Amino acid sequence: MKLGVVGKGGVGKTTVAALLAGAYARAGRRVVAIDTDSNPNLGLSLGLDLAEVDAVPTLPRSVIVGARGDLTVSEVVGRYGRSTPADVTLLSAIRVSAAGGGCTCAGHASVRSLLGEALDAEADVAVIDMEAGLEHLSRSGGTLAHADVLLVVMEPSRKSVITAARTLTLAEELGIPRALGVGNKAHDEGDVEFLRRASADHGIPLAAVVPYAAEVVDADRSGAGLTAAHATVHRALDAVMAAVDEALRPAATA
C-alpha cells in the first residue's frame, strides 16, 4: 500500500506523514517512509536527531528500480534505508545541499521508479512525504503516479482547501484512483466544522480532522519525534487508516 501525502506549504504535511507512519508501525505493519522534500525533515519527526538525518544517504539520481534496472527494491531499502525510533524505515530521496545545483527532477524520477515496483517484499505500507505545492503532480509521468491513495492535508483555511481541490483534479488527470482529504491543526469545533463544510463544497472526501495538540508541538520543539502516544490525535489517525482501508476495499474485492 503506497500513500502519497501532499498539501499546501505550512499545513503540517510532514507532521501528518510521520504520525501516520508511526500509527501503522504501532499496528504491527512494516513501514517505509520516503522523504521527497528537498529540505528533508521527515527523519526529525520520526525521532532522529539532526546529525542522523543529515547522515541518511540520498537515493542516487535517476536510479531505475527493478529486476531489469540498476537496483532491486531490496537493495534500495538495504543500502539507503535507515531505521528510526518510530520503528519506521526512512528513505531520503532528494536533498538540495548546494546553491545552483539544478532541479530535483531526477530525484523524483527515482521515487517514481521505486513506487512502480512491488514494495510488499520490504514493506506493508509506504508513506511518501511530498514537497509542498503541486509541481510533483505536473511533471511528466508524475512522481506519485503509482500511489494507491493520495492524502491531501489541509488546515482550517480557505486557501489550503482550494489547493487541495486543485490537487485532486491533477491527481485524477494523472490516474491516481483514490484521494482523501485530511484536516489538520483544528483548534476547536469551529475549525472542524469549517473543514467539513469547505471539503463538501469543493468535492473533497474528508477522511478525518486531526486536532491541534500541544503534545505534538512540544515533541517537535524538543526533538523527541512525533510518533509517541499522543492520545488527542489517535482517534483521528485511526479514522484516516479506516478511510484508507475503505477506499482500497473495492479494488481488493474486485
Side-chain angles (χ1 to χ4, degrees):
M1 180 170 62
K2 292 163 281 193
L3 308 177
V5 183
V6 300
K8 183 179 180 295
V11 297
K13 175 181 51 61
T14 295
T15 296
V16 170
L19 288 169
L20 192 59
Y24 275 114
R26 287 194 301 276
R29 312 290 284 275
R30 299 172 302 160
V31 183
V32 169
I34 305 174
D35 193 340
T36 72
D37 200 317
S38 54
N39 178 30
N41 290 309
L42 182 59
L44 297 174
S45 297
L46 292 171
L48 298 178
D49 63 30
L50 181 58
E52 290 170 328
V53 170
D54 288 343
V56 175
T58 306
L59 287 178
R61 289 191 170 199
S62 297
V63 65
I64 303 300
V65 182
R68 300 181 180 180
D70 304 305
L71 296 171
T72 65
V73 172
S74 178
E75 288 171 334
V76 168
V77 175
R79 293 184 191 182
Y80 298 97
R82 292 297 181 268
S83 298
T84 68
D87 200 24
V88 171
T89 299
L90 173 69
L91 289 171
S92 181
I94 296 167
R95 184 189 302 271
V96 173
S97 56
C103 78
T104 60
C105 298
H108 283 276
S110 297
V111 175
R112 185 168 63 248
S113 173
L114 174 61
L115 296 181
E117 291 299 313
L119 284 171
D120 53 325
E122 301 297 325
D124 302 309
V125 180
V127 178
I128 306 97
D129 181 26
M130 298 300 300
E131 279 189 296
L134 302 176
E135 186 185 359
H136 44 76
L137 290 171
S138 66
R139 290 186 179 90
S140 176
T143 308
L144 290 176
H146 299 292
D148 296 309
V149 180
L150 194 69
L151 299 175
V152 187
V153 182
M154 305 169 288
E155 62 184 353
S157 75
R158 183 170 176 269
K159 290 179 180 178
S160 76
V161 174
I162 290 173
T163 299
R166 291 170 176 163
T167 301
L168 262 61
T169 299
L170 289 174
E172 184 177 358
E173 292 175 1
L174 191 59
I176 298 175
R178 308 163 191 89
L180 299 168
V182 177
N184 190 38
K185 299 193 292 187
H187 285 78
D188 52 35
E189 189 57 36
D191 286 346
V192 175
E193 179 56 31
F194 169 81
L195 285 164
R196 287 173 177 164
R197 185 177 65 253
S199 295
D201 289 345
H202 287 274
I204 302 169
L206 185 63
V209 176
V210 180
Y212 174 88
E215 306 99 310
V216 172
V217 176
D218 291 343
D220 181 56
R221 289 174 176 173
S222 67
L226 304 179
T227 58
H230 300 295
T232 55
V233 302
H234 276 182
R235 202 176 317 175
L237 295 173
D238 288 344
V240 173
M241 291 190 289
V244 168
D245 287 343
E246 181 63 28
L248 291 171
R249 189 164 290 123
T253 58

